[in-house]
Amino acid sequence: FVVSSEEDILNRPSPKWLVEDLIQESTICVLAAPGGLGKTFLSLGLARSLATGAPFFGKQTQKVKTLYVAAEGAAAFGNRVRAWNHAHPSLNVPKDAITYVEQGVNLKDPQSVDTLREMVKTGDYGLVVLDTFSQLSYIENENSNSETAEIYRAIKRIRDAREGTSVLVLHHTPAGGGKARGATAHRDNADTMIMAIPVGENGQDGFSLSTLNSDNGKQK
């Protein structure tokens, strides 16, 4: 047990922002969006903003390294990175600022989780991106709160491998948007729930991001 007095709690410093008003240090954040809307490209852009300490859509960021666990769409990452670099020619991303894990991760397997924990700790990563929950969790029933909660316990172990590290979990919503797909344990276990809301028919005009309760988001 860790026992704290009320004075200890009141004197504790406020959490620091990894991304201003969006993602705090030492938290679990879920980014939920319909398939094909662009959440992977958005996450790659976030990682590259953090790699340089550049603003992310006008939000101030900390300069940290990212461990990107890619279970789907990794073959196209080169094109996405080149597109981002072309659009941001003045930003020079350090070569060791982003590391990709393209296979072998199973969040249901304790040994796999331990390997990720060791990578986070020894690599000094400030952000871990899990892309996506459905491909990395290996659960049999995505509507099962017990199975989903078990995976989030593993994700918390990854987060706790290094002080200050946050984990961004990419997840899906139904095609038309709305709540995160599957069990309510996603929302229950997330400190932050970012909803990507399509603009225009099927997101043809892009999307907006919201953590508002009214948009099914969450921000502790």
Side-chain angles (χ1 to χ4, degrees):
F1 294 102
V2 177
V3 180
S4 302
S5 69
E6 189 170 83
E7 183 178 6
D8 292 334
I9 292 174
L10 290 173
N11 290 329
R12 189 173 296 161
S14 298
K16 295 180 180 179
W17 291 101
L18 194 62
V19 181
E20 179 189 10
D21 297 331
L22 193 63
I23 303 175
Q24 291 180 340
E25 284 187 345
S26 303
T27 59
I28 294 174
C29 176
V30 174
L31 170 60
L37 193 66
K39 57 185 176 295
T40 292
F41 192 82
L42 179 74
S43 301
L44 286 172
L46 169 61
R48 301 181 80 73
S49 290
L50 293 172
T52 58
F56 179 69
F57 289 96
K59 301 289 187 181
Q60 294 301 306
T61 68
Q62 287 191 49
K63 188 175 180 179
V64 301
K65 295 168 62 178
T66 295
L67 181 64
Y68 201 111
V69 183
E72 55 182 52
F77 275 24
N79 290 335
R80 288 163 168 160
V81 169
R82 281 187 285 271
W84 192 96
N85 289 341
H86 179 75
H88 303 83
S90 63
L91 295 180
N92 185 22
V93 177
K95 292 184 181 298
D96 65 344
I98 306 172
T99 301
Y100 300 92
V101 180
E102 298 184 52
Q103 58 184 350
V105 175
N106 179 350
L107 295 176
K108 207 171 184 179
D109 176 19
Q111 185 175 352
S112 181
V113 172
D114 285 342
T115 300
L116 272 183
R117 279 173 51 83
E118 187 63 21
M119 291 183 69
V120 171
K121 183 178 179 180
T122 59
D124 197 33
Y125 293 103
L127 179 69
V128 179
V129 180
L130 301 176
D131 183 1
T132 58
F133 182 90
S134 61
Q135 293 295 316
L136 293 168
S137 63
Y138 289 86
I139 61 176
E140 296 181 6
N141 180 5
E142 69 172 10
N143 294 311
S144 169
N145 278 312
S146 60
E147 284 192 89
T148 302
E150 180 183 357
I151 299 302
Y152 273 96
R153 282 191 287 272
I155 293 172
K156 289 174 183 177
R157 291 187 62 234
I158 296 168
R159 176 201 62 187
D160 294 342
R162 173 188 174 276
E163 184 176 357
T165 294
S166 296
V167 179
L168 177 64
V169 182
L170 304 194
H171 190 44
H172 295 90
T173 67
K179 297 181 179 180
R181 197 176 70 192
T184 59
H186 288 286
R187 183 180 180 86
D188 296 340
N189 286 276
D191 299 290
T192 301
M193 180 78 73
I194 304 173
M195 305 302 298
I197 303 171
V199 177
E201 186 176 355
N202 297 321
Q204 63 182 10
D205 297 320
F207 57 89
S208 62
L209 301 178
S210 177
T211 58
L212 296 176
N213 286 332
S214 57
D215 293 322
N216 297 310
K218 178 182 179 181
Q219 186 66 274
K220 281 191 175 178

